[in-house]
Amino acid sequence: MENLLGNDSSGPEHSSHSLKAAARRVRPARRVRPAQRVRSLSPGRRRRVIGVASLRLATVWLLLATLPLAAISAPSGVALDPEAASWVERTLASLTVEEKVGQLLLPRADGSYRHPDDPELVNLETAVAAGRIGGAVLFAGDPDATRRLTERLQRAARVPLLFASDYEWGVAMRVTGATGFPRQMAFGAVGDPGEVERLAAITAAEARALGVHLVLAPVLDLATDAANTVIGNRSFGSDPERAAVLGDAFIRRLQAGGVLATAKHFPGHGATATDSHRGLAVVDLDARRLAEVELLPFQRAIAAGVAAIMPGHLAVPALDGRRDRPATLSPEILDGVLRGRLGFEGLIVSDALEMAGAREAAWDGAVTVAAFAAGVDLLLVPPRPEIAWDALMRALRNGALSEARLDQSVRRILEAKARVGLHRPRSAVSTEPPVGDPAAAVNARRVAQRALTLVQDQGGILPLSSRRPPRILVLDYLAESDRSTDPRPFRRELSRPARAVETVSLSRRTVAASASQIEELAGASDLVVVAHYTHDRNWRPPVEGGADRPGTGELPALLERLIAAGRPVVVVAFADPWVLTAVPGASAHLATYDGGEASQRAAALALFGERGIAGHLPIELAERWPRGSGIELPAPRGLELTAPEEVGMSREGLDKALAVIERGIAEGAMPGAVVVVGRRGRLVLEEARGRFDVDPASSRIETSTRFDLASLTKVVATTTVAMILFERGELELERSITDYLPELANPELRGVTVADLLTHTSGIVWWTDLYRRHGHLEPAAAKRAYLEEIGGLPLADPPRTKTVYSDLGILLLGEILERVGGRPLDELARTEVFGPLGMSDTTFRPESSLRDRIPPTELDPWRGRMIQGEVHDENAWGLGGVAAHAGLFAPGRDLAAFCQMLLDGGVYRGVRVLNGATIERFTRRAELVPGSSRALGWDTPSDPSSAGQYFSASSFGHTGFTGTSIWIDPDRELFAVLLTHRVHPSRDNRKLLALRPEFHDAVARAIIDQPITPRPPEP
C-alpha cells in the first residue's frame, strides 16, 4: 500500500492553498432549463411534477436555476468501455422480472464469523442463488469472516453482487483490525484535502481486499444545529465550501482506487435535531438557504463524478411542500431536484429502510415501493427483504410500477457493477493487500494530532508541566449504553507524565451519586480533567423554546463549583465539541472530534506539551468561539541557542565559565574541550576550545567532535535502559541478581540486588584486569568469560555496608539488562534512547571513517599505540567496545538533548522516553548506605563534588575517566556538559579534577534571576 501513503500534498502548509486549489478544479457545466427537463419526462411523470408546482416550489426552481449544473465526470457520467457496456446490455436482457427486482435489494449482512450451516447465512445464500437480492450491506465483523462471506455469496450468484458498507472513517468503522481514522469533523478541523485523500485511498484498498465495492461515504451534511446528535462529528463541519472541497477529495480518490463513493444524506441532515433512526426529521429551512448552503456540497460531489447519492429520511417542506414525507419517498426531491435540476445521473441509494424515519406511518412493503417510485435505485437494508421483493412484484403486476422504470434502475446498477470490474471473470483467491497495514495507521495518528483544537486556555494552563507533574483526577463521562468506547488509552498516556492519576467513571445517571466522592478527590488533586466521550444532549446548548431535560447540568454544575473553589478544570471533548459550552469557566477546552485510541493518545500528549496543537473549529460553538477559532500551541522543538538573558543568565558569567576551560587548556589540563550549557529548554553556551592533541598543528576541536565518554556510558546508556525496563515492570530493583544470572558461582551474590549494582553498594570488587586474561577471545566468548570470573570472585564487603564504585558490578548489570530486554545493550540503547532523542551521533564502536572526528585519548603502553576512535577502557575493549560501564562516543549536542529530556520529565521534542516519577526515583539519593551520595546509577553532589558548591542538593550527574561529565540541576532547570580528553597523552594528568568544580561554580553563578548560594553543608 505504499503508493497510497503520503504521495500527495500532505504538509500543514498545504492546507489553505489546497482548499482553494481544489475549489478551482470544480468547473460549472452547461445550464439546462427546468422546462427542458420536464418535457423530457414520460407523460405520467410530467403530470406529477407539474401538479405539485405550487408557488413555494416555483420559488425553489427559481433559486436552483441560479446554481450551475454539475459537470458529470468519472465514474457515473463517463461512458463505459465497449466490453463493459456490452456486458450490461446482455445481462439486463437475460434477467427475468423477478431477477431484476432482486437487483434493487441490498439487505443487511453481518461480517462476523458464522458456521457454514447458520440458518441466516444459508437463507442469504439461497436468496442470492434465486436472484432475489443484488448484493448486501455489510455490518460489523472481522476481516477473514467478511472476506469469506463476500466470496461465498459471489460464488452463489449468477449476476455478480454489489457489496456496500458504511466506512465513513475507514474500514475499521465496521471491521475489526482494519485501519481506523478519526471522524470526518477531525478532517474538517485540519482542513487539508491531502489528508482526506489518504483516508480515501486506504479505505479503497481495504474495501477491495474485503470484496466491498460501494462505500456509503462521505457525509456531506453540514453541522449547523447544536442540538443535532445524529450527524455531529460525522460531518466535515458547518462551512459548505470546506465540506464541498473535502468531499470532492474523498470522492475522487476513493473512486480512483476502484471503489464507488456515496454522498449522503441529501439534501442535508445537519439542520435538524431529530435522529432519523428514531423518527422523521423535518428540515425547516427556506429554499434560498438550502440552495446557497446545504446543497452546495452535493452539487460539488456531482461535479466530482460521485457514483451514488443517498437521500436522508428527512422531510424538507421547502422542496416538496410536505412535512410528513422523507426525501427518500419524495419524487419532487429525487426526480425533480436531484435528477432534474442538479443533473445527477448516477445511483440513488436509500438510507437503511429499517430506520424509523423511513417507516413512519407506513408498513415495510409500502415504504419499499414508495422509495422506488420516488426515484431510488438501490434499496438498502429493508427490514425483511422477502417482503420488500413481494411488494415490488405486486406493484409491477398491478401497474403501479412499470418495467421500463425497473429497467432504468437495473441498468444503472449493472453499470455500477461494471465500473468496479464485476463484469470480468472472478478470481477464487483475493490478490488484494490485507487490511490493517501499520504503515496506514501512521496517517490516522497524524490526522488525530493535527485535528486537536484548543478552544480555551485561561491563564495559559497548557501545556501541563512534565518537570513538576500534577496529580490529576480524570472524570470519564460515557453513555450508559456505550460498550465500544475504551477510555483506557487516555488514562494510560496521562499516567506517564502525571505524578498520579485517579479516575472516576460517570454517566448521566451516576453523577449525583458520585458528587461527594468527586469533590473529595478533586480536593486532593492539582487538576481535574473531564474526558467526555458521548453525544449527550444534556451537555449541549438547550433547544430554543424546548422543555428542560432531565439531568441537565448536574456534572457541569459540579464542575463550576470546583472551579469556584479554585480547582483547575480541563474539559476534553472526545466526540461532541458542543459539550464545551456547558462549562464556560473551565481553565481549558480541548476538542478532538473523535474518541478513538489515536485521538485519546494525541490529546494526552498535547496536554503535556509533547505534541503541538494547531486545529481550528470547523463549526461555531458560540459567539465567543466562532468557526475557525482555535489557540495554537507550537510543536515541541529541539534545543536552540539563545541569548543567556532570555533565560535568566548573564553572558559575562558564562564567559567566566568558558575562561576556566581556556585556562585549563593553557595549563595542560587537557588538549581541548567542548562545553554545552542549557537552561529552561534553551542552549546558552555551546563552544569548542583547543585541539586534538598537544601538537599545535593538530585539528581543532569542533562542537561536533565526538568524545570517548568513558563512564558516562553508565548513565547515558546503561542506567537509562534500566529505567525504561523498570518502568515497564520488566526489571525489579529489589530482586536478587542471581535470579537473573543463576549461573553465578559465588553464593554470596544471592544477597546482592539490582539496586545494589546501580548504587555501587553490592560489595563486588571494584575492578580487575579481565582484558589481560580474556581480551584475546571473540567478544561473545569474552563476555562469558568475564561473567564467569566476576561471578566467582568473593565479595570485598557485605552488601549495603559500603559504597565502592565498581565497574564489575555494572558489567553484571549490563548482562541482566540484555537478558531482560531481549537484545544486546547497544541495540537497546539505540532503539530506546538514542533514536527517540535524535542522538544520531551517539554510538558504541564508531566506524573507522569517523576517526578524524574523534580526538585521541591515551598512548596505551599495553596496546602499544595511540588510542583514537576506539574505546579507551581496556575491559570494554576486551568486549569488542560494547560494555555497560564504558564504550560510548558522543558529541556535546547529543548529550544536551539527553540532559534536557531528564529536565523535562522524560520528554524531548515531543517524544517521551521516561516518566517523571521514574526520573525522580533514580536521581535522588538511594540511602542504601547512610551518607552515600549515590542514587540509582547516578551520583549527587557531595562535599567536595565535581559539580562544585553551587549546584543544588537536588542535582544529579556523573563523570567519565577520560575527562567527561554531565551535571543536571532540576531546581534551576540547568544542565552543563563538559567533554575533554584529559587522558591524552597520559592518564597520569589529573589537573582537570580541580578545574571541573570551578567550571560548574562559574556556570551556576551565571544565573541572575534568582539567588545563588552555596549548598548547605551536609550533616
Side-chain angles (χ1 to χ4, degrees):
M1 284 172 67
E2 62 185 18
N3 64 319
L4 304 178
L5 306 175
N7 57 346
D8 284 336
S9 52
S10 61
E13 72 281 356
H14 174 71
S15 302
S16 59
H17 296 296
S18 51
L19 275 169
K20 295 172 184 175
R24 288 196 296 269
R25 287 201 301 266
V26 181
R27 297 170 299 173
R30 61 185 180 86
R31 299 179 188 274
V32 178
R33 296 179 183 276
Q36 292 175 332
R37 283 286 181 188
V38 173
R39 284 196 296 270
S40 68
L41 301 176
S42 64
R45 289 172 65 190
R46 190 186 312 155
R47 285 193 300 272
R48 190 160 62 245
V49 170
I50 293 173
V52 297
S54 63
L55 179 60
R56 167 178 268 174
L57 290 178
T59 303
V60 173
W61 282 112
L62 181 62
L63 286 167
L64 292 175
T66 66
L67 296 175
L69 184 66
I72 304 301
S73 60
S76 63
V78 171
L80 294 172
D81 63 68
E83 177 193 3
S86 175
W87 176 85
V88 169
E89 296 307 322
R90 288 198 316 274
T91 304
L92 180 61
S94 72
L95 296 176
T96 65
V97 173
E98 291 81 1
E99 290 172 325
K100 291 177 184 178
V101 170
Q103 288 295 305
L104 308 178
L105 300 172
L106 269 66
R108 170 190 289 268
D110 289 331
S112 53
Y113 170 77
R114 290 176 180 269
H115 188 277
D117 296 330
D118 177 85
E120 288 187 21
L121 180 57
V122 171
N123 288 342
L124 196 61
E125 188 175 33
T126 301
V128 169
R132 296 293 181 93
I133 60 175
V137 180
L138 301 177
F139 285 79
D142 63 84
D144 291 339
T146 300
R147 182 68 197 184
R148 285 197 298 270
L149 174 65
T150 59
E151 289 178 344
R152 174 174 173 171
L153 295 181
Q154 289 287 20
R155 287 193 296 270
R158 182 173 80 83
V159 178
L161 303 174
L162 188 73
F163 289 103
S165 195
D166 290 289
Y167 297 154
E168 295 173 11
W169 40 274
V171 174
M173 180 175 176
R174 297 296 188 205
V175 180
T176 59
T179 305
F181 281 79
R183 304 306 199 268
Q184 279 191 195
M185 191 169 281
F187 288 88
V190 175
D192 184 354
E195 297 288 14
V196 178
E197 289 172 6
R198 277 179 285 280
L199 160 67
I202 292 164
T203 300
E206 294 193 342
R208 287 198 317 266
L210 300 176
V212 173
H213 320 100
L214 177 65
V215 168
L216 305 176
V219 174
L220 295 185
D221 310 277
L222 302 177
T224 56
D225 189 332
N228 184 310
T229 59
V230 65
I231 297 301
N233 60 1
R234 298 166 66 195
S235 166
F236 285 123
S238 62
D239 180 0
E241 179 62 31
R242 175 161 291 195
V245 170
L246 298 181
D248 176 289
F250 184 91
I251 291 162
R252 292 180 188 273
R253 192 61 181 269
L254 187 84
Q255 295 186 164
V259 176
L260 306 177
T262 307
K264 63 186 188 184
H265 306 82
F266 185 83
H269 199 331
T272 173
T274 302
D275 183 348
S276 54
H277 293 83
R278 297 180 172 87
L280 178 60
V282 179
V283 178
D284 275 321
L285 298 176
D286 61 38
R288 181 175 296 279
R289 159 66 186 266
L290 287 167
E292 294 176 351
V293 179
E294 270 69 19
L295 291 179
L296 177 63
F298 292 98
Q299 185 191 14
R300 294 281 186 82
I302 295 169
V306 68
I309 291 180
M310 176 185 289
H313 296 325
L314 42 106
V316 191
L319 296 185
D320 70 352
R322 293 181 58 166
R323 303 180 63 84
D324 61 346
R325 182 175 64 178
T328 313
L329 310 183
S330 170
E332 290 80 10
I333 293 175
L334 301 187
D335 199 39
V337 177
L338 183 54
R339 292 215 188 276
R341 180 56 231 158
L342 298 182
F344 179 59
E345 297 177 2
L347 285 173
I348 296 179
V349 304
S350 75
D351 206 346
L353 293 176
E354 65 184 13
M355 292 166 59
R359 302 166 64 203
E360 203 166 88
W363 70 288
D364 294 340
V367 168
T368 304
V369 173
F372 182 70
V376 173
D377 299 304
L378 273 178
L379 300 158
L380 306 189
V381 198
R384 294 179 62 186
E386 67 278 11
I387 289 177
W389 187 88
D390 284 340
L392 289 166
M393 287 300 301
R394 277 195 302 274
L396 284 163
R397 293 188 190 105
N398 65 26
L401 297 175
S402 70
E403 191 169 352
R405 165 72 182 88
L406 178 63
D407 286 350
Q408 190 179 53
S409 283
V410 174
R411 180 176 282 106
R412 289 194 188 103
I413 294 166
L414 294 175
E415 287 175 349
K417 292 181 176 183
R419 292 184 193 283
V420 293
L422 288 175
H423 64 295
R424 300 189 184 98
R426 285 168 266 166
S427 171
V429 179
S430 171
T431 59
E432 298 291 348
V435 304
D437 186 341
V442 172
N443 295 269
R445 291 194 293 271
R446 185 180 59 250
V447 172
Q449 179 58 52
R450 293 183 66 188
L452 294 177
T453 305
L454 184 57
V455 178
Q456 178 165 283
D457 186 21
Q458 300 190 97
I461 189 175
L462 298 183
L464 305 174
S465 174
S466 289
R467 188 177 303 134
R468 295 180 177 83
R471 294 162 298 180
I472 301 176
L473 171 62
V474 176
L475 304 180
D476 289 335
Y477 191 89
L478 296 94
E480 282 107 349
S481 59
D482 188 353
R483 299 291 181 267
S484 61
T485 301
D486 180 2
R488 288 177 295 180
F490 182 63
R491 298 179 204 157
R492 282 197 301 265
E493 205 65 50
L494 276 185
S495 297
R496 298 196 66 199
R499 180 174 298 275
V501 172
E502 188 79 37
T503 303
V504 178
S505 294
L506 298 169
S507 67
R508 181 168 62 88
R509 297 183 185 277
T510 63
V511 171
S514 303
S516 59
Q517 177 194 14
I518 292 170
E519 291 185 277
E520 180 179 350
L521 291 172
S525 303
D526 302 308
L527 177 76
V528 177
V529 175
V530 182
H532 195 288
Y533 293 96
T534 181
H535 292 274
D536 187 344
R537 277 195 189 164
N538 294 290
W539 274 62
R540 283 191 173 224
V543 177
E544 186 176 351
D548 290 340
R549 305 188 194 97
T552 298
E554 287 178 344
L555 182 55
L558 172 59
L559 295 174
E560 292 292 355
R561 290 200 302 274
L562 297 178
I563 293 166
R567 188 65 56 210
V569 171
V570 174
V571 181
V572 184
F574 279 113
D576 185 351
W578 276 283
V579 304
L580 298 174
T581 62
V583 193
S587 301
H589 285 152
L590 184 67
T592 74
Y593 314 99
D594 177 77
E597 181 175 354
S599 295
Q600 289 188 42
R601 293 190 71 251
L605 292 169
L607 288 180
F608 275 91
E610 297 176 39
R611 298 289 188 276
I613 300 177
H616 293 86
L617 283 173
I619 57 173
E620 180 177 343
L621 286 185
E623 187 175 347
R624 62 190 289 201
W625 299 315
R627 186 173 67 206
S629 60
I631 302 167
E632 295 190 15
L633 295 183
R637 296 182 297 181
L639 289 162
E640 296 180 352
L641 197 61
T642 190
E645 291 75 15
E646 293 187 18
V647 291
M649 300 186 77
S650 75
R651 170 60 63 189
E652 181 182 4
L654 291 172
D655 286 344
K656 290 178 180 179
L658 195 57
V660 173
I661 300 304
E662 291 169 342
R663 189 181 78 240
I665 294 172
E667 294 175 353
M670 63 281 193
V674 167
V675 176
V676 186
V677 176
R679 190 173 192 226
R680 293 178 180 162
R682 300 291 184 90
L683 291 183
V684 293
L685 184 65
E686 184 182 25
E687 295 286 346
R689 293 291 187 271
R691 296 184 179 274
F692 268 42
D693 59 39
V694 294
D695 182 355
S698 65
S699 300
R700 289 187 176 277
I701 299 290
E702 306 287 347
T703 56
S704 60
T705 298
R706 307 180 191 195
F707 287 79
D708 181 337
L709 299 186
S711 286
L712 288 190
T713 303
K714 293 181 174 74
V715 289
V716 176
T718 307
T719 298
T720 310
V721 169
M723 295 164 83
I724 291 169
L725 296 178
F726 163 77
E727 199 171 273
R728 293 175 181 168
E730 298 171 4
L731 179 70
E732 297 181 44
L733 298 180
E734 306 308 322
R735 183 175 287 279
S736 169
I737 64 173
T738 58
D739 289 345
Y740 296 108
L741 307 172
E743 70 272 32
L744 297 181
N746 183 0
E748 293 179 297
L749 294 175
R750 285 197 290 270
V752 176
T753 67
V754 173
D756 294 332
L757 299 182
L758 284 161
T759 56
H760 301 280
T761 59
S762 65
I764 293 173
V765 175
W766 80 274
W767 185 84
T768 186
D769 53 352
L770 297 165
Y771 67 96
R772 291 186 185 275
R773 293 179 290 282
H774 312 297
H776 64 284
L777 301 173
E778 290 295 320
K783 183 190 292 187
R784 291 193 295 272
Y786 278 27
L787 183 64
E788 182 178 355
E789 182 168 344
I790 297 169
L793 291 173
L795 294 183
D797 301 288
R800 293 173 294 286
T801 59
K802 288 185 180 180
T803 299
V804 178
Y805 187 81
S806 172
D807 279 359
L808 303 189
I810 298 300
L811 280 168
L812 293 183
L813 175 62
E815 178 65 19
I816 292 171
L817 298 180
E818 291 190 339
R819 295 185 184 188
V820 171
R823 289 173 287 169
L825 180 62
D826 57 338
E827 184 180 339
L828 285 167
R830 184 178 66 253
T831 58
E832 302 286 355
V833 185
F834 308 151
L837 292 178
M839 297 169 65
S840 57
D841 293 330
T842 301
T843 184
F844 291 92
R845 290 186 301 205
E847 297 177 3
S848 58
S849 61
L850 299 174
R851 188 170 183 267
D852 61 353
R853 303 182 192 178
I854 301 170
T857 48
E858 189 173 21
L859 179 58
D860 185 357
W862 182 73
R863 278 177 270 188
R865 62 179 181 273
M866 182 69 71
I867 305 304
Q868 185 174 13
E870 61 179 317
V871 64
H872 175 262
D873 182 273
E874 293 92 340
N875 279 340
W877 177 86
L879 293 173
V882 178
H885 71 291
L888 208 57
F889 290 76
R893 179 61 79 97
D894 276 13
L895 294 180
F898 176 77
C899 293
Q900 191 61 49
M901 177 271 292
L902 294 172
L903 276 176
D904 281 343
V907 180
Y908 182 69
R909 293 196 311 185
V911 176
R912 179 166 294 282
V913 175
L914 292 164
N915 292 345
T918 304
I919 295 170
E920 184 179 351
R921 176 165 184 177
F922 273 69
T923 58
R924 67 172 181 257
R925 289 190 176 184
E927 305 291 353
L928 295 184
V929 172
S932 173
S933 65
R934 288 287 167 180
L936 291 168
W938 290 89
D939 201 4
T940 65
S942 55
D943 295 321
S945 171
S946 64
Q949 58 180 328
Y950 291 101
F951 270 62
S952 74
S954 298
S955 301
F956 54 94
H958 211 282
T959 60
F961 186 78
T962 53
T964 59
S965 68
I966 54 178
W967 277 98
I968 301 167
D969 188 339
D971 287 355
R972 298 190 174 110
E973 304 175 61
L974 176 73
F975 69 80
V977 175
L978 175 59
L979 301 180
T980 79
H981 51 308
R982 66 97 191 166
V983 294
H984 179 76
S986 169
R987 69 182 67 193
D988 295 332
N989 180 4
R990 300 175 63 82
K991 296 178 181 179
L992 180 65
L993 300 184
L995 197 75
R996 205 153 36 192
E998 186 180 354
F999 163 75
H1000 288 105
D1001 282 348
V1003 168
R1005 294 180 71 177
I1007 294 175
I1008 57 177
D1009 65 349
Q1010 64 184 92
I1012 302 297
T1013 57
R1015 281 189 313 280
E1018 296 188 11

